[in-house]
Amino acid sequence: MPIGAGTLPIMGEAFLVIDLIGVLANAILGGITAKRLRFDLVGFTVLALATGLGGGILRDVLLGRGTPVALTNPIYIPLAAVGALVAFVVPIRKVFQERLFPLMDALALGAWAYTGTHKGLVFGLGPVQAVLLGVVSATGGGMLRDLLGRKMPVIFGDNTLYATSALVSSVLVVIFYKLGDSAWGAVIAMAVGSLLTIVSAWRGWTLPRSISNPFKGKDFRRYIRIRRR
């Protein structure tokens, strides 16, 4: 059963508002990417809709509780189209764009990490499964944006903390949900996830990369000689 008018008594109107914030922020991000790639209006619309709605649709499909809310609630698609129009019409200077993009990306990530995790918990998923759903929800729209923009998705590496921020945010949602305080959980989880994304971009924090083979070249030959003795 998707989140919509029929589930507001369960999920709360605040959930719908947060979900819509994520849709609008991601749609604008998709539009900014389309502008950077010099797409026409059709390209703007497609990229903005995919970015704005992709994470939520993926979340609802994985839950398997009916048609995704983006296709049943009449607000979602027009709101994503508004995000595309804003990015298409409003002139954004490069310096402002470089500052706006990470901020909105962090906001969208925090919002959807919360909505994905919380919805999973409400519909009976275990803590680990709900956290996974939150991370997928938070990063799904960005992955679609990068793929459609002919770019390697940022969550696969060579970037500052992104999926890690969604993971931390989702874990906080579970903790506060189990403590019976979902309201503060929403605020804190979104704030921490967003701030961690922003600070990591500012400080250049990244996860460790794969360790290269220590036994190669001269070191490998020396290791072989030692073993033979």
Side-chain angles (χ1 to χ4, degrees):
M1 184 174 177
I3 298 176
T7 57
L8 284 179
I10 300 175
M11 307 299 289
E13 293 183 5
F15 186 103
L16 179 61
V17 172
I18 294 170
D19 207 30
L20 291 174
I21 289 173
V23 169
L24 180 61
N26 270 294
I28 294 175
L29 287 171
I32 292 175
T33 301
K35 176 173 286 188
R36 184 183 302 162
L37 297 173
R38 303 182 65 83
F39 285 5
D40 60 14
L41 184 57
V42 173
F44 263 76
T45 304
V46 170
L47 193 56
L49 288 177
T51 307
L53 304 175
I57 290 177
L58 185 58
R59 173 197 66 202
D60 294 341
V61 168
L62 289 175
L63 274 175
R65 297 302 184 97
T67 307
V69 63
L71 303 179
T72 59
N73 190 312
I75 301 176
Y76 280 72
I77 294 178
L79 188 63
V82 168
L85 185 62
V86 168
F88 186 81
V89 174
V90 177
I92 302 176
R93 295 183 178 180
K94 185 177 180 180
V95 175
F96 183 63
Q97 177 176 304
E98 291 174 351
R99 295 177 181 177
L100 176 66
F101 193 98
L103 180 62
M104 296 198 67
D105 204 17
L107 174 64
L109 182 138
W112 271 0
Y114 165 74
T115 59
T117 307
H118 189 268
K119 188 171 184 180
L121 291 170
V122 168
F123 283 119
L125 293 185
V128 174
Q129 292 79 6
V131 166
L132 178 60
L133 187 65
V135 174
V136 170
S137 301
T139 60
M143 287 183 62
L144 282 175
R145 179 187 68 226
D146 292 339
L147 290 172
L148 291 175
R150 304 186 298 276
K151 175 185 175 183
M152 178 68 71
V154 295
I155 67 168
F156 291 159
D158 196 24
N159 64 283
T160 53
L161 302 184
Y162 193 74
T164 305
S165 302
L167 177 64
V168 172
S169 183
S170 298
V171 169
L172 288 173
V173 174
V174 172
I175 292 174
F176 277 93
Y177 185 86
K178 294 299 183 181
L179 293 175
D181 196 346
S182 295
W184 275 108
V187 175
I188 294 175
M190 287 189 296
V192 170
S194 299
L195 285 174
L196 183 57
T197 304
I198 293 171
V199 173
S200 68
W202 173 47
R203 300 291 296 177
W205 293 343
T206 60
L207 292 177
R209 300 188 182 184
S210 60
I211 302 175
S212 59
N213 183 7
F215 300 117
K216 64 180 181 179
K218 294 181 180 179
D219 292 334
F220 180 72
R221 289 193 293 271
R222 187 181 302 114
Y223 173 77
I224 294 298
R225 285 197 299 271
I226 293 173
R227 294 288 294 177
R228 286 177 178 175
R229 292 176 183 175

